[in-house]
Amino acid sequence: GDKVIPFPLPHCGECSFCLNPESNYCLKCHLSESQSLLPDKTSRFTCKGKRIHHFLWVSSFAEYTVIPEYVVAKIDAAAPLDKVCLLGCGFSTGYGAAINTAKVKPGSTCAVFGVGGVGLSVVMGCKAAGASRIIAVDINKDKLAKAKELGATDCISPRDFKKPIQEVLTEMTGHGVDYSFEVIGHADTMIAALASCNMNTGICVMVGVPASGSMLSIDPMLLLSGRTWKGTLLGGWKMRDSMPKLVSSYLEKKFNSDLLITHTLPIAQVNDGFELLRAGKR
């Protein structure tokens, strides 16, 4: 009868990473070993006699699932599950990228590449951290109004300029932004995000997940001058400890992740949801 939220980044609490207070990685993570099966290498799903795999141990479109204890957290019984489910990955990842990974400072300037659900959560995190200027960057202009509503001070589309977007951002801010976030997962936008933050103290955070096998080729001078380029997994939260606290913060109205919800569909229409996602309408 407990209300729980599963999450895609394990937190075993025992490995060297889990015991490191500065880390939120876990050696049981799917990055170190492809784990579309349960830890004992079995699957508890079948369909018409065929084995079905477990997606990141969460299997979020299944009505019933079996998961390891270290990928689930018990939450406040008062929490509305149809709302706080966003904290299982999307909102937490974006919000934490700004708060935990970048550690955005008050009065700073930020650029967010890609303002889908996770990018909008980055915008909310930058605003909560006290950033004075938050520039939303997206080729889908339909996304920009929501970004403005959630805290973006400027909204731009790369398609409106003839020069590279990093040059546009550098001109807008003088020497580049203090923090940039790539929330798309494309090699070219990752490089643009890195180049758009200032050359000495700028911090670029990779949030988007690149396609398997992707490679990056960059000018090393982008880093030699002092920029920091880092990635984030689930926004830097140690999930079994942080999830109950995030839910409490939601209930205390410290943030409003409900603003990210555009559609609510029954599980039978899950494929319609994916079509809305691909069309850029959610």
Side-chain angles (χ1 to χ4, degrees), residues 69-90:
E69 178 190 7
Y70 42 76
V71 295
V72 68
K74 180 181 174 182
I75 61 168
D76 193 316
L81 290 176
D82 61 331
K83 302 292 196 297
V84 297
C85 59
L86 295 181
L87 308 187
C89 181

Side-chain angles (χ1 to χ4, degrees), residues 78-120:
L81 290 176
D82 61 331
K83 302 292 196 297
V84 297
C85 59
L86 295 181
L87 308 187
C89 181
F91 174 79
S92 303
T93 296
Y95 196 77
I99 301 288
N100 300 326
T101 308
K103 294 180 171 60
V104 169
K105 294 177 181 174
S108 60
T109 302
C110 304
V112 182
F113 286 68
V115 283
V118 182
L120 290 171

Side-chain angles (χ1 to χ4, degrees), residues 18-201:
C18 283
L19 294 173
N20 182 344
E22 296 183 2
S23 162
N24 80 316
Y25 188 72
C26 174
L27 286 173
K28 296 186 183 296
C29 178
H30 309 267
L31 287 180
S32 56
E33 182 184 0
S34 179
Q35 293 166 330
S36 51
L37 298 171
L38 289 176
D40 62 1
K41 307 305 179 191
T42 65
S43 169
R44 306 299 172 88
F45 295 143
T46 59
C47 180
K48 298 177 182 176
K50 292 184 68 175
R51 184 168 75 172
I52 304 294
H53 287 87
H54 290 248
F55 177 67
L56 296 179
W57 290 340
V58 175
S59 308
S60 48
F61 298 138
E63 292 174 271
Y64 299 93
T65 188
V66 177
I67 56 179
E69 178 190 7
Y70 42 76
V71 295
V72 68
K74 180 181 174 182
I75 61 168
D76 193 316
L81 290 176
D82 61 331
K83 302 292 196 297
V84 297
C85 59
L86 295 181
L87 308 187
C89 181
F91 174 79
S92 303
T93 296
Y95 196 77
I99 301 288
N100 300 326
T101 308
K103 294 180 171 60
V104 169
K105 294 177 181 174
S108 60
T109 302
C110 304
V112 182
F113 286 68
V115 283
V118 182
L120 290 171
S121 302
V122 174
V123 170
M124 294 170 75
C126 292
K127 182 180 179 182
S132 62
R133 195 172 184 191
I134 303 167
I135 306 168
V137 183
D138 204 304
I139 59 173
N140 183 349
K141 292 185 179 179
D142 293 341
K143 301 276 189 185
L144 298 179
K146 176 68 80 170
K148 205 118 188 177
E149 179 188 342
L150 295 180
T153 55
D154 304 75
C155 296
I156 58 175
S157 168
R159 290 179 173 168
D160 288 342
F161 303 93
K162 292 181 179 177
K163 60 180 69 173
I165 195 65
Q166 56 265 40
E167 292 182 18
V168 175
L169 287 163
T170 300
E171 288 177 8
M172 288 175 68
T173 56
H175 299 287
V177 296
D178 299 307
Y179 306 93
S180 62
F181 301 84
E182 201 278 355
V183 205
I184 303 165
H186 290 168
D188 55 348
T189 44
M190 288 177 185
I191 295 169
L194 177 65
S196 70
C197 64
N198 85 65
M199 66 189 298
N200 184 237
T201 59

Side-chain angles (χ1 to χ4, degrees), residues 197-202 219-228:
C197 64
N198 85 65
M199 66 189 298
N200 184 237
T201 59
D219 178 352
M221 287 301 293
L222 285 171
L223 294 171
L224 187 66
S225 57
R227 287 181 180 89
T228 299

